[in-house]
Amino acid sequence: MANRVWVLGSAVVDFVSTIDRFPAPGESRIAKSVERFLGGKGVNQAVAAARSGADVSFVGALGLDDAASDFRVLLAEEGIDSSEVQTVLDAGTGQATILVNEDAENMIAIYPGANMMMGASALSHLEIDEGDVVVASLEIPQECILTAFDLAKSRGAMTVLNPAPACELEPMIFALTDVFTPNDTESKFYQESQKVDPGKFTAYIHTQGSGGVTLHHKHEQIKIPAPKIEAVDPTGAGDCFNGVLAASLAKGMELEASVRRAIRAASISVTRPGAVPSMPNSEEYDG
Ligand code: RIB
């Protein structure tokens, strides 16, 4: 039986406006379009992993609203197990305001809502098995990550932390993380503010957008370039990378091959608008 990918993370409805350039503080600008997409780092990663062929469980929190129904339909359509999704009564499903400019750069403001009310106690019962991969990001309470990662390590599963958005982390989370995947901003933040040493993880994967990835592994640094593409919208590219990375590791692929596969997938995702809709299928980047 294939190993399972457990994605712990957010579900967020993204309202994406395309605009010629970002407004300056105090300035209003007319957007060219506005669209509503399903997203959130957790859901994006889960969809990317499922479309790469993995068995996936999404562990997150939704409100009791129309957006929550949309997410449940999406997860079912993608074949993602949602039995561990929590319903929160005191807050709505998360929302984000996203601007994408003509240079295919984005700015995101997230209102986490239900995501930050996810409870940790239910996570101590997750049926994580040896060889599974548990991937988490930071739009949910850190206590949830601690509980799930602690369980994962006790069961012989691998843990992947996508430390986004950058924030002060409980030191124990670093200790329970096998694979750490910061982007440029996050790598600088964690090395400066929390003195994170790339050598302490099984792998430290520094993603650099169109600049590719620097993989720190066994005291070596390997630079892996990204394919040249025509970028449209970078939203969710990092999530695509993390989802496909986790799926590839769960499948038993070697670390470097997994990183190369994840880069190919993420490069495709930036050629399409939105987060969930931009996640490619494995046929698009395998073979
Ligand atoms: O990483 C992109 C995601 O971050 C968006 O889908 C948005 O919802 C935010 O969570």
Side-chain angles (χ1 to χ4, degrees):
M1 204 177 75
N3 297 313
R4 178 163 288 274
V5 176
W6 297 82
V7 181
L8 249 80
S10 60
V12 176
V13 178
D14 294 341
F15 293 93
V16 182
S17 294
T18 54
I19 196 154
D20 55 351
R21 66 165 173 80
F22 297 137
E27 182 189 14
S28 297
R29 293 197 69 73
I30 304 284
K32 292 191 256 182
S33 66
V34 62
E35 283 188 88
R36 175 186 185 273
F37 296 109
L38 297 186
K41 295 186 193 308
V43 166
N44 297 340
Q45 291 173 7
V47 170
R51 290 187 186 171
S52 88
D55 290 330
V56 181
S57 290
F58 172 67
V59 184
L62 300 168
L64 197 56
D65 46 26
D66 290 348
S69 310
D70 295 343
F71 276 110
R72 289 186 188 281
V73 169
L74 170 78
L75 294 169
E77 283 174 353
E78 298 286 342
I80 297 168
D81 164 49
S82 62
S83 56
E84 299 294 341
V85 172
Q86 302 174 18
T87 298
V88 167
L89 301 180
D90 303 336
T93 299
Q95 297 189 23
T97 303
I98 302 182
L99 299 181
V100 178
N101 72 12
E102 279 178 350
D103 294 328
E105 298 166 315
N106 66 7
M107 294 179 99
I108 307 181
I110 303 150
Y111 172 67
N115 293 293
M116 275 298 175
M117 301 186 84
M118 183 171 161
S121 58
L123 306 188
S124 56
H125 307 298
L126 296 178
E127 292 180 357
I128 298 170
D129 281 331
E130 186 176 356
D132 287 355
V133 175
V134 181
V135 55
S137 47
L138 304 178
E139 292 169 350
I140 57 171
Q142 291 189 27
E143 196 191 351
C144 294
I145 300 172
L146 275 172
T147 304
F149 274 19
D150 195 31
L151 181 66
K153 296 311 298 167
S154 74
R155 300 260 172 92
M158 184 187 287
T159 55
V160 176
L161 183 66
N162 173 221
C167 66
E168 190 83 10
L169 278 180
E170 288 274 346
M172 186 51 83
I173 293 184
F174 293 117
L176 293 167
T177 298
D178 295 314
V179 178
F180 193 69
T181 64
N183 67 13
D184 272 336
T185 317
E186 293 144 9
S187 185
K188 192 163 180 288
F189 174 85
Y190 291 108
Q191 290 196 30
E192 283 177 2
S193 75
Q194 295 202 268
K195 307 289 173 246
V196 166
D197 169 13
K200 81 161 285 309
F201 303 99
T202 303
Y204 184 101
I205 303 174
H206 176 181
T207 60
Q208 292 142 297
S210 59
V213 160
T214 304
L215 168 61
H216 300 245
H217 177 53
K218 292 187 177 165
H219 307 292
E220 275 188 334
Q221 281 186 41
I222 307 167
K223 185 89 183 111
I224 304 174
K228 297 272 170 280
I229 43 91
E230 193 68 39
V232 170
D233 179 355
T235 311
D239 306 328
C240 182
F241 178 88
N242 280 278
V244 175
L245 175 74
S248 307
L249 293 170
K251 213 172 144 174
M253 286 176 70
E254 294 294 332
L255 178 64
E256 189 179 330
S258 298
V259 171
R260 289 184 184 278
R261 186 174 187 236
I263 294 177
R264 291 196 299 276
S267 303
I268 294 169
S269 76
V270 300
T271 64
R272 303 166 180 167
V276 161
S278 72
M279 300 300 159
N281 291 306
S282 60
E283 304 82 64
E284 297 176 82
Y285 48 84
D286 283 342

